[in-house]
Amino acid sequence: VGFAPSPWDRVLLGSRRSGFSEAELLAAGVVPRSRERPGSVYDRFRRRITFPLCDQRGHVLGFGARAMGSDQQPKYVNSADGTVYHKGRHLFGTHLARSHAAKAGSIVLCEGYTDVIAAHQSGVRNCVGLMGTALTEDQVSELARLAPTVVLALDADGAGHEAMMKAARLAAKQRFELRVAALPPGSDPADVLERDGPDGVRVLLGASLPFVRFRVERILGGEERDTPEGRDRILEQLRPVFAELGPGAMREELQREVVSRLSVSEKLVERLLAGQTGAGKSGELPRAQTQLAAGERTERTFLELCIALPARGGELLAALDLDAVFASPLVRAAATHLRTHLESPAADIDDGELAVLLAELSVRAAVLSPVPAELEVERCQLELARVARAIAGARGAGRGGVTALQREREALKHELERWFAEALEQTDEPRG
C-alpha cells in the first residue's frame, strides 16, 4: 500500500530524478497528458491511497487509488489501459492468494482492496478483489484457474448483486462451483473484521451458501409473506430461479424450504414453480418462457390451466373480455383460438408462431394436475393486471373513474385471497 500526495507533479519529478523517461511514465500509466497544456504531463494519482495491481507472478502492472477526502470524485481511480495494464483482465491480490487457493480448493472474491486486505489479515489468504471494476469474463476465467470453488463476498447492494448474477452466468460456462458469503446488510468484509475480528470473517466465509440457495433465501426474505399477494410475488420471483435448476436433491430441498417459509401447500408450490419451467414429457426444461415478462407468464399459465380444466376453462374464456385481459397480442390470439378449439388446441392454425405457442401450452397443460381453484387464482391475477393497466391509463390521460377502478381492484384482491385459500385446501385433499 502506498500514498500519492496532493501536488500535481510530485511523482513525476521523483520518477524523472530516478531516471525514468516521460515515454516510460506514460506507458506505465503513472502520468497522463494534459488537455489544457498540450505537450505537458501530470500525476494521475493525487491525494490518494494507492494499491499495486499485479499479475499472478507479482509483477506490478498498474495501480489502483482510493480517494482520501469525501470531496474527491471518483472514489476509485485505476491505471488507464495501456501497454502494460489492461483493465478487466486481472484481480487484486492474485499473486498472494494463488498458492493458498490451490491448497484450500477455493478462492474468495471481494469487492475492493481493503476487503482483500481485511481477509488476509484475518487469516483468509485465498482472497482476491475486483479492483473497483465490473466483473469480466477474463476475470471469471482467472478465478476458475485458481480453484474449483469460488466464494463471492460482495457488497449486498445493487452493484454487488449484479456482479453475483454475472458471475453465475459465466460460471455455467466455466463449470466451477459458485457460493455466496451472505454479508450483513450494509457491510463488507472489512466492516466485519473491524466489528467481529478475524474469527467473524472466517465464520462468515465458512458459512457460505450455494449460489442458487442464496438467491432463494434472498427472495424469501425480501417480500411480505403474510398476504396471498405477497406470497404470489415471491413465487413469481422464484420461477426463473427454479427454471434454471434441474431435477435433483437441491431442487427438492429448496422446494421444501419454500413450502415451509410461505406456509403453502407442497403440491401448489411444485405446480407453480415446476409448471413454469415447461417440464415436458421428455424431462427437458425449455427456458424461453423464463425470460417473459411477469404479466405474460400469468396469461400463458391461465391458458395452460384452461386446457387442463376445459369445462371451467371454456366458461371463463367465453365470459372474459379478451382484448382487455390479455396484454400480449400473441397470447390474446391464442385465447381467441381456444374459445372454439379448447378440446383440440392445434386444430385449424395457419399462423406458425401461434401454432408453436399453442403446442407449448398443450405440452405444459398435459403434465399438470391442477385443482379448479388454481384456475380461479390465475383468472383473478389476469383481472388485477387489467385493472392496474386501466388505472395507469386513466391517471396518465387525466380521466376520471380511478376511484371505481380502485374499488374493483380491492374486491379482486379479496376474491383472490379466497380462491388462494381454497386452492391450498384442495391441493391438500387426497385424490382418488
Side-chain angles (χ1 to χ4, degrees):
V1 177
F3 168 65
S6 297
W8 290 78
D9 58 358
R10 183 69 60 85
V11 174
L12 173 62
L13 295 177
S15 299
R16 283 174 173 171
R17 285 195 297 268
S18 298
F20 291 98
S21 68
E22 185 175 292
E24 288 173 324
L25 296 176
L26 285 166
V30 177
V31 298
R33 292 195 180 279
S34 174
R35 295 180 180 178
E36 298 179 358
R37 300 175 59 189
S40 64
V41 296
Y42 60 94
D43 291 358
R44 179 180 298 278
F45 307 112
R46 301 177 305 280
R47 196 182 164 204
R48 292 177 180 270
I49 302 296
T50 58
F51 303 86
L53 309 180
C54 305
D55 62 14
Q56 289 194 13
R57 297 181 180 180
H59 299 149
V60 177
L61 305 178
F63 297 91
R66 187 187 190 282
M68 295 184 63
S70 59
D71 59 324
Q72 290 177 268
Q73 294 297 328
K75 184 176 181 180
Y76 289 98
V77 174
N78 285 347
S79 293
D81 278 0
T83 307
V84 180
Y85 176 70
H86 299 280
K87 181 174 63 176
R89 287 190 184 177
H90 306 284
L91 296 160
F92 178 66
T94 302
H95 63 297
L96 300 175
R98 186 177 181 183
S99 61
H100 299 284
K103 183 177 180 180
S106 63
I107 185 74
V108 179
L109 178 65
C110 292
E111 193 87 26
Y113 315 109
T114 55
D115 296 328
V116 176
I117 293 171
H120 280 256
Q121 286 178 337
S122 65
V124 181
R125 304 296 303 277
N126 57 327
C127 185
V128 295
L130 272 177
M131 303 196 300
T133 62
L135 186 65
T136 67
E137 190 165 357
D138 285 336
Q139 290 172 328
V140 171
S141 296
E142 186 168 349
L143 290 169
R145 288 192 292 269
L146 290 170
T149 299
V150 176
V151 180
L152 303 178
L154 304 175
D155 297 354
D157 56 11
H161 186 252
E162 177 57 32
M164 292 181 195
M165 296 300 296
K166 188 171 185 179
R169 291 192 295 269
L170 296 174
K173 302 177 184 179
Q174 298 289 343
R175 297 190 178 183
F176 58 77
E177 181 187 5
L178 188 66
R179 302 179 69 88
V180 177
L183 293 166
S187 299
D188 55 33
D191 296 326
V192 176
L193 176 65
E194 182 178 355
R195 184 178 60 247
D196 302 325
D199 289 341
V201 176
R202 287 193 290 268
V203 168
L204 177 72
L205 296 175
S208 64
L209 302 172
F211 180 71
V212 65
R213 175 177 285 280
F214 170 80
R215 286 186 70 190
V216 171
E217 293 284 352
R218 191 173 188 270
I219 292 171
L220 288 174
E223 285 278 359
E224 177 58 56
R225 300 191 299 270
D226 295 336
T227 65
E229 295 90 345
R231 292 191 289 268
D232 277 345
R233 287 193 295 270
I234 291 173
L235 289 169
E236 189 67 31
Q237 293 177 57
L238 287 171
R239 280 174 174 173
V241 179
F242 278 81
E244 298 171 3
L245 187 61
M250 175 65 78
R251 184 187 182 93
E252 290 188 3
E253 183 177 336
L254 290 176
Q255 282 191 179
R256 287 195 294 269
E257 179 75 10
V258 173
V259 169
S260 174
R261 296 279 291 276
L262 298 185
S263 300
V264 294
S265 160
E266 184 173 352
K267 291 181 180 178
L268 181 61
V269 167
E270 183 176 357
R271 209 279 301 168
L272 290 174
L273 296 180
Q276 285 307 112
T277 65
K281 294 181 179 179
S282 66
E284 296 180 351
L285 300 173
R287 298 186 181 181
Q289 191 167 351
T290 66
Q291 300 173 359
L292 299 171
E296 186 169 341
R297 283 200 297 270
T298 299
E299 293 176 8
R300 293 189 179 204
T301 299
F302 174 77
L303 293 185
E304 291 166 17
L305 291 172
C306 285
I307 296 172
L309 299 168
R312 179 57 177 160
E315 293 175 357
L316 291 178
L317 285 171
L320 288 171
D321 181 350
L322 302 187
D323 289 333
V325 167
F326 290 92
S328 164
L330 179 61
V331 184
R332 187 187 312 126
T336 302
H337 176 83
L338 290 173
R339 265 184 169 172
T340 54
H341 297 86
L342 194 55
E343 297 291 346
S344 53
D348 302 329
I349 307 174
D350 296 325
D351 186 319
E353 189 177 8
L354 179 58
V356 170
L357 173 57
L358 287 165
E360 181 181 330
L361 296 174
S362 298
V363 169
R364 295 177 188 277
V367 299
L368 300 179
S369 298
V371 296
E374 293 178 59
L375 179 55
E376 303 295 343
V377 167
E378 295 300 330
R379 189 259 307 165
C380 288
Q381 297 277 30
L382 283 183
E383 295 281 17
L384 280 169
R386 170 187 61 78
V387 171
R389 290 193 296 269
I391 291 175
R395 286 175 172 166
R399 299 193 305 266
V402 173
T403 302
L405 288 168
Q406 289 174 333
R407 284 197 296 267
E408 183 180 1
R409 181 177 58 186
E410 291 306 309
L412 282 168
K413 286 182 178 181
H414 289 303
E415 185 181 0
L416 173 63
E417 189 169 347
R418 291 196 303 271
W419 282 119
F420 195 94
E422 188 166 333
L424 294 180
E425 294 177 3
Q426 291 178 6
T427 52
D428 284 334
E429 292 174 359
R431 302 183 197 176

